[in-house]
Amino acid sequence: MASETAPVRLVDYRVPDFLIDTVELDFHLDPKATQVKSRLAVRPNTEGVADLTLVGDELKLVSVTLDGKPLEAGAYNATSDSLVIRNVPSAPFTLEVEVEIDPSTNTKLMGLYRTGAAYCTQCEAEGFRRITYFLDRPDVLAVYTTRIEALKAEAPVLLANGNPQQSGDIPGTDRHFAIWHDPFPKPSYLFALVAGDLGVITDRFTTMSGRDVELRIYCEHGKEERCAYAMNALKRSMRWDETAFGREYDLDIFVIVAVSDFNMGAMENKGLNVFNDKYVLADPDTATDTDFANVEGVIAHEYFHNWTGNRITCRDWFQLCLKEGLTVFRDQEFSSDMRSRPVKRIADVRTLQARQFPEDAGPLAHPVRPEIYYEINNFYTATVYEKGAEIVRMLKTILGEDGFRKGMDLYFDRHDGQAVTIEDFLSAFHDATGVDLAQFHLWYSQSGTPEVVARGSYDPKQKTYSLSLKQNCPPTPGQTTKKPMHIPLRFGLVGPNGDDLSFSDATGARVEDNVIHLTEAEQTVVFSGVSSLPVPSLIRGFSAPVRLSVDLSPSDLLFLLRTDSDPFNRWQAAQTFAIRDLVARTGAKVRGEALDTNEPFIDALGEVAEADALEPAFRAQILQLPGEADIAREIGRNVDPDAIARARAELRISMAGRIGGRLAVLFDSLQSKTAFSTDAASAGRRALANAALDLMVANRDRAAIERVVARYRNADNMTDRLGALSIMAHAPLDERLPALADFEERYRNDPLVLDKWFALEASVPAPETLDRVRALMEHPAFSPSNPNRIRALIGSFASGNQTQFNRADGAGYDFLIDFLRDLDRRNPQTTARLLISFRSWRALETGRRNRAEAALKRLDAVGNLSTDARDIVARMLA
Ligand code: 0A1
Ligand code: ZN
């Protein structure tokens, strides 16, 4: 490992030597020189420790006093990243520290920084130390009081965590102040402050016990109307947490602020959530249905953190999934209740397979609860979030609805106000239900995606069906051998008429409520009393995050696609069929051979697309073929992205040829004659129309192209407009050029909408795209310091354009590395996230693999990389 910093290890965890009970902060805001005074009530927590060590990061100490007395020079030592006070009293004492910070040069967007003309903070994971010296670790919980003082004209709005206490003018000056008090003890990573000249919308919510809560959403002036959907989502989230989990909101006010410069999606600071504006602002003219769903999901996610993360927080950063996996599970459940449960599940599994599976299969694989890190910022991963949520979902499958709720209730009761571990979490479920979760715990410590192989055989004489099941988890960095895990497999034995067959008994594994509990490396389940040969439908609803290989014939798959009572597995059958075809087709392309069209499969897709009994959003999912990256993941080694693209295009062309006419009829029938609505059913019809149109243009059918051009031109909402434009860009059709120019012109003053355009420009699968991306970096709306712009243009190129990022000449890799080398000096977090586009480089064919490696090595050779970038590059090359 080329890293100079020492790693942090879970086994080294020790309780803090000191605790801090109260924190009084006083901010004197100034763009270039903000003064921060803190008064800390400190108390020793272990015996015999003489020195108090507080951490800092790029701080400048102004003064320090202990119990009111200035410290002499020899009594402390201050550097920009630590403040050590020697020989502190063994009884509680008060420490007062004043520092000066410069928000205007804070391009890392951690700590206190400027966004537009406003001030805002981001403290998770370790940003509070960029504001003042502190015990900046999540197991130090304190009650915060925050006073903010600023120029009235520059920052009429002054916000911090908790309830507002006092505010007013400072007589004889052009400044004013506000004091906020948060009565709930919290770790420093949940601290927040926002100040600026902002617009606001307000509302109210009455909690289940009758408490009145004021709700506010702040945004850039002029964007207030675009906050209405977020406010509505917030109120629905608050009500849902009461009914689904019995959790009520606890302060007098809940505030959301939308900012344009933010490294991540949003942040759950107590009572003062700060959001990337793309997850707040949404109206039909500027946001797609997917944007609306994302706003709803992220609003819910951050709100739900109030109980899972804030009231009960993490003991240390290794426990990150304790709050993230659980909160993702909660927001997924919320969205399922608000929309279609099967469609939400399909979308979530797509995300898991696209983001987490490759992570688990590559050099960045790590357990859901890691045991070592060099840079905690790099562990806000798909594994911690999405696989972490899958673990909670499996827990619910294993314990049942009631057992799960009992466990959650006990967890909330027992640990409110504490900073806890995964063991505490699992103990609550064990103690509430008596179920032994010792083996289940392995899901947190073993990395890698388990593979389950299933083989079935039917004995018509005995009327028994035997299902042999094997599990195996491939080696991952630092873990060569693995133990068998507890894998809950929801299943059905589908009979000839599509209904599940019953069975009288099952031996060889615990089988309960249509769930097989696979707990050993190999088990054979024998079902007796099975009246005829079944087709097994396994891992229904994706009941476990594993890769399943099952000996289903093509006709079995088409049968499940047409008849399975589990909608998820109908979709899965289509995906499995498609991916088998696409992998074989890619192989044929590489060998220069031809492969026949599978007409029964295409016909079955056509049938499902037309089936009015099924909801349109589901049919849209069925029509969406696996993407190029999905195919690459399935192939796994010696990947040739050009061959994959040609194979996928070939299948699409056959589909358009064979069912294009039927899809056109379907498309025309889906044209809305009523006013636009954001509801899930209307969104489903738009999604199906876009999915049908996307396939119809594959063979360049003139009538289909005319439809897509007209859809772009006549759209009365962003979903239709962007859907059409995206079809033109991805095909790619020549018609895209005037349409892209029109889109740029139409939305030139709207950065969030222009991001969609940057992203499409960067995803065009054509050789000129890299030059186009380079040119767009000079576009007046592009900013090399805004994370949203960077992700839209550079991120979409690197992760959304398989053939052009993976150009055979390596120019895509070199471009990204050059960009990141420069970005790393300004924003290490965003740099590290973009670097992840290289995570599957070892799976590429030799030529590309060598070029990717050379590019990574070039970055590795840079002397002054951030710890964020250094950590990712080192692991990627290890
Ligand atoms: N806790 C947040 C994620 C988050 C993490 C780090 C950040 O620093 C820039 C910001 C946000 C969540 O899960 O939403
Ligand atoms: Zn979260």
Side-chain angles (χ1 to χ4, degrees):
M1 155 95 42
S3 180
E4 302 90 38
T5 37
V8 184
R9 292 175 203 275
L10 174 57
V11 289
D12 291 337
Y13 175 82
R14 300 289 176 275
V15 299
D17 291 331
F18 296 87
L19 293 176
I20 299 173
D21 293 316
T22 61
V23 179
E24 288 162 67
L25 293 166
D26 192 349
F27 287 83
H28 193 279
L29 290 178
D30 178 89
K32 301 210 68 68
T34 289
Q35 315 289 323
V36 185
K37 291 183 197 161
S38 71
R39 180 193 285 145
L40 313 177
V42 187
R43 147 171 79 94
N45 189 45
T46 55
E47 298 265 302
V49 176
D51 297 349
L52 168 65
T53 302
L54 303 178
V55 287
D57 183 7
E58 299 184 46
L59 293 179
K60 196 158 92 194
L61 181 71
V62 177
S63 70
V64 50
T65 72
L66 196 153
D67 285 335
K69 295 187 208 65
L71 288 177
E72 298 195 356
Y76 69 93
N77 184 41
T79 65
S80 65
D81 57 12
S82 81
L83 173 61
V84 181
I85 318 282
R86 304 225 167 80
N87 289 312
V88 296
S90 54
F93 58 92
T94 302
L95 193 71
E96 284 177 84
V97 179
E98 184 178 350
V99 300
E100 188 184 297
I101 53 182
D102 180 357
S104 71
T105 55
N106 186 354
T107 57
K108 293 184 178 170
L109 313 184
M110 287 296 279
L112 178 68
Y113 65 92
R114 309 278 327 229
T115 170
Y119 297 83
C120 111
T121 58
Q122 172 54 39
C123 293
E124 187 177 7
E126 300 182 330
F128 192 71
R129 62 187 65 184
R130 296 170 60 76
I131 294 175
T132 187
Y133 295 103
F134 203 71
L135 295 176
D136 190 16
R137 45 187 286 172
D139 56 355
V140 173
L141 308 185
V143 170
Y144 285 66
T145 307
T146 307
R147 182 180 180 281
I148 313 166
E149 194 190 306
L151 278 176
K152 258 204 283 195
E154 191 193 37
V157 175
L158 304 173
L159 306 166
N161 315 89
N163 296 318
Q165 255 193 343
Q166 216 191 314
S167 60
D169 293 345
I170 299 171
T173 72
D174 45 7
R175 301 178 72 82
H176 70 153
F177 77 98
I179 300 174
W180 292 77
H181 176 73
D182 179 5
F184 294 95
K186 65 167 175 285
S188 50
Y189 83 86
L190 291 173
F191 170 79
L193 170 159
V194 174
D197 189 0
L198 300 166
V200 67
I201 67 165
T202 64
D203 209 326
R204 310 204 75 84
F205 181 84
T206 307
T207 69
M208 60 183 179
S209 72
R211 293 188 38 259
D212 181 43
V213 181
E214 182 182 347
L215 310 177
R216 293 189 201 162
I217 301 183
Y218 287 93
C219 62
E220 206 176 286
H221 281 295
K223 304 259 163 87
E224 293 85 348
E225 281 176 10
R226 285 199 212 175
C227 297
Y229 184 81
M231 182 64 91
N232 177 270
L234 172 62
K235 289 188 285 182
R236 284 184 284 124
S237 305
M238 295 177 85
R239 192 60 77 213
W240 185 89
D241 212 13
E242 297 182 342
T243 44
F245 283 91
R247 298 295 115 196
E248 192 175 359
Y249 187 61
D250 49 12
L251 290 166
D252 303 337
I253 179 167
F254 186 81
V255 181
I256 289 173
V257 185
V259 302
S260 348
D261 300 85
F262 201 72
N263 277 337
M264 308 274 271
M267 180 63 212
E268 69 263 25
N269 318 298
K270 181 77 187 193
L272 177 53
N273 289 1
V274 175
F275 272 62
N276 185 326
D277 53 6
K278 75 185 256 193
Y279 294 116
V280 174
L281 306 176
D283 66 18
D285 292 338
T286 57
T288 62
D289 293 324
T290 307
D291 293 326
F292 280 107
N294 287 340
V295 167
E296 177 178 84
V298 180
I299 292 271
H301 180 94
E302 305 310 329
Y303 175 73
F304 296 157
H305 267 313
N306 191 53
W307 274 97
T308 51
N310 301 3
R311 289 287 287 257
I312 306 181
T313 194
C314 303
R315 185 193 73 172
D316 54 69
W317 291 119
F318 295 102
Q319 321 294 331
L320 185 57
C321 65
L322 175 87
K323 72 178 177 81
E324 296 306 347
L326 177 54
T327 305
V328 170
F329 170 77
R330 277 153 51 70
D331 82 56
Q332 291 176 344
E333 286 298 288
F334 167 73
S335 295
S336 301
D337 285 347
M338 296 297 127
R339 293 157 184 265
S340 155
R341 184 164 279 273
V343 173
K344 172 66 177 155
R345 187 63 187 141
I346 291 167
D348 289 340
V349 172
R350 271 194 204 274
T351 309
L352 181 82
Q353 292 178 339
R355 298 225 284 260
Q356 201 280 324
F357 278 24
E359 188 163 272
D360 241 354
L364 300 181
H366 56 274
V368 171
R369 183 177 64 184
E371 279 154 29
I372 175 171
Y373 62 76
Y374 285 81
E375 173 53 67
I376 188 57
N377 288 335
N378 290 340
F379 283 83
Y380 289 79
T381 59
T383 297
V384 169
Y385 276 66
E386 266 77 38
K387 190 174 177 182
E390 293 301 317
I391 298 181
V392 178
R393 188 173 296 281
M394 285 190 285
L395 198 56
K396 186 172 176 188
T397 301
I398 290 169
L399 302 176
E401 187 103 30
D402 288 354
F404 181 73
R405 179 65 195 265
K406 281 199 191 106
M408 285 301 302
D409 287 349
L410 182 58
Y411 174 68
F412 289 126
D413 268 8
R414 200 184 255 179
H415 296 296
D416 186 12
Q418 298 178 3
V420 306
T421 62
I422 287 303
E423 284 68 26
D424 294 319
F425 179 66
L426 287 184
S427 295
F429 290 93
H430 170 258
D431 295 349
T433 62
V435 174
D436 179 3
L437 297 168
Q439 186 185 17
F440 186 76
H441 189 284
L442 290 171
W443 279 106
Y444 287 100
S445 59
Q446 288 191 164
S447 53
T449 306
E451 291 161 1
V452 173
V453 178
R455 296 282 174 267
S457 68
Y458 183 65
D459 182 338
K461 283 210 198 73
Q462 304 295 322
K463 302 269 179 242
T464 56
Y465 181 71
S466 303
L467 192 62
S468 100
L469 296 164
K470 289 186 190 156
Q471 62 162 301
N472 169 58
C473 187
T476 44
Q479 296 186 351
T480 43
T481 56
K482 323 268 170 123
K483 293 183 186 143
M485 314 233 248
H486 182 171
I487 302 176
L489 299 178
R490 198 176 286 288
F491 77 105
L493 303 178
V494 185
N497 71 354
D499 291 341
D500 285 0
L501 297 174
S502 61
F503 51 88
S504 49
D505 193 23
T507 58
R510 188 157 70 83
V511 178
E512 266 167 29
D513 300 330
N514 302 313
V515 175
I516 301 171
H517 294 268
L518 178 60
T519 53
E520 290 162 34
E522 290 194 41
Q523 271 167 295
T524 299
V525 190
V526 180
F527 299 93
S528 42
V530 179
S531 60
S532 60
L533 170 70
V535 176
S537 170
L538 301 179
I539 322 201
R540 281 182 165 169
F542 209 66
S543 64
V546 300
R547 294 169 66 116
L548 172 71
S549 135
V550 51
D551 60 345
L552 293 176
S553 67
S555 62
D556 288 343
L557 286 173
L558 295 187
F559 173 72
L560 290 180
L561 166 59
R562 287 203 172 90
T563 58
D564 200 326
S565 61
D566 181 57
F568 179 86
N569 269 13
R570 292 181 74 165
W571 172 80
Q572 184 63 67
Q575 292 291 299
T576 305
F577 204 111
I579 206 102
R580 280 188 196 172
D581 179 282
L582 289 162
V583 169
R585 206 166 285 281
T586 303
K589 289 272 168 248
V590 170
R591 293 188 303 273
E593 297 164 13
L595 208 71
D596 286 347
T597 307
N598 196 308
E599 292 170 349
F601 172 57
I602 297 176
D603 292 344
L605 288 185
E607 247 174 67
V608 174
E610 286 167 346
D612 281 337
L614 299 169
E615 46 181 344
F618 174 77
R619 294 188 265 154
Q621 290 285 356
I622 293 270
L623 281 187
Q624 217 180 302
L625 289 180
E628 291 168 21
D630 299 307
I631 305 165
R633 184 180 72 241
E634 193 61 29
I635 295 174
R637 43 189 288 274
N638 225 352
V639 166
D640 175 352
D642 289 333
I644 290 176
R646 279 184 283 132
R648 191 170 183 275
E650 184 175 272
L651 176 59
R652 284 166 47 81
I653 291 170
S654 332
M655 290 174 77
R658 190 158 175 90
I659 57 170
R662 290 161 72 180
L663 293 175
V665 174
L666 173 66
F667 175 82
D668 292 342
S669 77
L670 287 162
Q671 298 319 300
S672 165
K673 286 152 210 86
T674 55
F676 178 87
S677 158
T678 57
D679 69 78
S682 317
R685 285 192 293 277
R686 287 186 286 272
L688 181 55
N690 279 337
L693 194 52
D694 181 44
L695 285 172
M696 284 154 58
V697 302
N699 62 352
R700 304 297 192 260
D701 176 78
R702 219 37 254 173
I705 292 176
E706 273 158 28
R707 278 187 178 81
V708 78
V709 170
R711 186 168 176 84
Y712 175 82
R713 203 178 320 109
N714 304 333
D716 69 348
N717 64 82
M718 185 51 81
T719 301
D720 290 356
R721 175 158 287 134
L722 192 72
L725 190 60
S726 159
I727 290 167
M728 291 187 240
H730 284 114
L733 303 177
D734 292 343
E735 286 75 4
R736 77 180 185 276
L737 297 167
L740 282 164
D742 173 80
F743 194 93
E744 177 199 7
E745 178 57 33
R746 231 179 242 266
Y747 301 105
R748 59 163 60 252
N749 297 319
D750 200 325
L752 278 183
V753 183
L754 227 42
D755 280 348
K756 302 178 190 305
W757 174 78
F758 280 128
L760 278 188
E761 289 275 3
S763 9
V764 173
E768 63 271 23
T769 296
L770 176 54
D771 286 338
R772 179 74 178 143
V773 170
R774 282 209 183 89
L776 287 176
M777 289 172 67
E778 308 300 321
H779 190 279
F782 184 78
S783 151
S785 59
N786 178 281
N788 285 358
R789 298 304 91 73
I790 295 170
R791 281 186 287 255
L793 185 63
I794 317 291
S796 303
F797 176 72
S799 68
N801 195 335
Q802 293 299 306
T803 54
Q804 300 314 304
F805 175 58
N806 295 298
R807 279 163 60 130
D809 63 3
Y813 307 141
D814 289 339
F815 163 75
L816 184 63
I817 290 295
D818 290 342
F819 177 80
L820 293 182
R821 221 179 124 151
D822 179 51
L823 180 64
D824 191 45
R825 286 190 280 262
R826 285 169 281 130
N827 189 330
Q829 267 187 40
T830 301
T831 303
R833 295 211 144 240
L834 289 184
L835 257 181
I836 289 174
S837 314
F838 279 101
R839 71 183 159 201
S840 301
W841 70 273
R842 278 181 208 277
L844 293 162
E845 53 77 27
T846 331
R848 288 174 173 87
R849 186 165 67 231
N850 290 339
R851 290 194 165 83
E853 182 172 23
L856 285 167
K857 285 195 162 148
R858 217 152 47 74
L859 188 65
D860 193 43
V862 173
N864 54 350
L865 282 188
S866 66
T867 52
D868 307 59
R870 170 70 61 214
D871 168 46
I872 299 282
V873 175
R875 279 192 280 152
M876 211 111 69
L877 287 172

